[in-house]
Amino acid sequence: YVPMSGIVVAFKRYTGARSIWESKWVGWKHFKSFFNSYYFELVMKNTLRLSFYSLATFPLPIILALMLNEIKNEKFKKGIQTILYAPHFISIVVVCSMISLFFAKDTGFGTQLIKAITGEAPVWLTSPKAYPHIYVWSGVWQNLGWNCVIYVAALSGVDPTLHEAATIDGAGRLRRIIHVNIPAILPTIIITLILRVGGIMSVGADKALLLKNGLNQDTAEIISTLVYERGMVGADFGFGTAVGLFTNVINILLVVTVNWIASKVS
């Protein structure tokens, strides 16, 4: 807990010339600067849009894990798992470079493919409307296989006698998935959901900065990019700490709320 005392920077004018404790107190100045700024509404809206859009893809790893669990050929199953897991280990920088090459205006394979089908070449990399879709679905492609690992592990622990009993009772494959597999992994689903909700306000800055440009920043400017650009690049450490503290408090409240709701459901 000792390093957490650094959040006091959010209430001081810290520049690095003096120590944290010697810096001048400014109270709620940095928070007021953030809340009253012209970009507050923009970055909040963009951050929440990306967060809830990403959260909407939460069931996909569960569905994938249920599908993989139904594959009986172990060699084929392991091969599919390896193919799906591999993108997770690709660097974010490399993924963004792949996106830039794939959706390049004149030479991108994806752009040329859409042009061949529709007759028009879309300009996705500079489109504010396309940015959230590119951001979210590239993340799904990269992390879908890895995120389903925990569900595959949970499904491997389901008692086979439950499936045998359900089969004897006349339950088909779909009914066994609904009434045996899903209830068995429900605690795991709730835990991962709580963790996902706890990061709603903390959209990473790495991919956002790499995909952002002057034409799509209306939807690409989020809280983490603001903190990086003003707090780190602009050396306004107090402002950056204040915004980070604000987002963390929101995340804690969300975690507590979702955990309370989950305790009533499960």
Side-chain angles (χ1 to χ4, degrees):
Y1 287 88
V2 174
M4 291 176 62
S5 61
I7 63 175
V8 74
V9 174
F11 306 95
K12 290 195 169 190
R13 185 182 291 115
Y14 175 68
T15 61
R18 296 181 178 180
S19 69
I20 295 175
W21 308 113
E22 293 175 343
S23 300
K24 182 180 178 181
W25 281 94
V26 294
W28 299 96
K29 178 181 177 181
H30 299 307
F31 293 93
K32 292 178 180 178
S33 175
F34 177 56
F35 296 145
N36 296 328
S37 62
Y38 69 92
Y39 45 74
F40 173 73
E41 183 178 351
L42 175 67
V43 297
M44 285 293 293
K45 181 176 68 175
N46 291 341
T47 301
L48 293 175
R49 179 192 289 118
L50 289 179
S51 294
F52 284 108
Y53 193 171
S54 299
L55 189 62
T57 65
F58 175 77
L60 296 181
I62 303 171
I63 296 171
L64 178 60
L66 293 171
M67 294 170 64
L68 289 173
N69 190 60
E70 294 301 310
I71 299 177
K72 303 305 178 185
N73 187 317
E74 288 298 322
K75 290 185 178 180
F76 179 70
K77 181 178 180 179
K78 290 181 179 179
I80 294 295
Q81 287 177 327
T82 302
I83 292 171
L84 293 173
Y85 297 166
H88 175 76
F89 301 99
I90 302 175
S91 165
I92 290 291
V93 177
V94 175
V95 170
C96 292
S97 298
M98 292 168 62
I99 293 171
S100 298
L101 292 172
F102 191 79
F103 295 121
K105 181 180 178 181
D106 299 318
T107 59
F109 174 76
T111 304
Q112 294 301 316
L113 181 63
I114 298 297
K115 183 178 180 180
I117 296 173
T118 64
E120 297 181 0
V123 186
W124 285 331
L125 294 177
T126 56
S127 172
K129 292 183 179 179
Y131 178 85
H133 303 297
I134 294 175
Y135 184 96
V136 171
W137 288 104
S138 62
V140 170
W141 170 78
Q142 186 177 14
N143 298 309
L144 180 62
W146 181 257
N147 289 339
C148 82
V149 170
I150 188 171
Y151 302 113
V152 172
L155 286 167
S156 65
V158 177
D159 190 348
T161 59
L162 296 176
H163 284 282
E164 294 172 1
T167 303
I168 293 173
D169 288 338
R173 177 176 292 184
L174 181 60
R175 291 182 66 85
R176 294 201 307 273
I177 290 174
I178 295 173
H179 297 290
V180 177
N181 286 343
I182 293 179
I185 65 173
L186 186 59
T188 305
I189 293 173
I190 291 175
I191 291 172
T192 52
L193 177 61
I194 292 172
L195 295 174
R196 284 287 295 273
V197 171
I200 278 181
M201 297 292 290
S202 303
V203 180
D206 43 8
K207 187 197 285 187
L209 287 169
L210 290 168
L211 293 178
K212 190 179 78 165
N213 53 61
L215 297 176
N216 65 11
Q217 62 181 357
D218 286 345
T219 55
E221 191 72 59
I222 56 177
I223 290 177
S224 57
T225 60
L226 175 66
V227 170
Y228 172 77
E229 292 170 351
R230 183 164 171 180
M232 299 297 293
V233 178
D236 193 347
F237 303 112
F239 179 85
T241 306
V243 177
L245 179 58
F246 164 73
T247 58
N248 287 333
V249 169
I250 299 298
N251 285 335
I252 291 172
L253 293 175
L254 288 171
V255 166
V256 172
T257 301
V258 174
N259 188 47
W260 178 80
I261 294 173
S263 67
K264 301 298 180 181
V265 174
S266 172

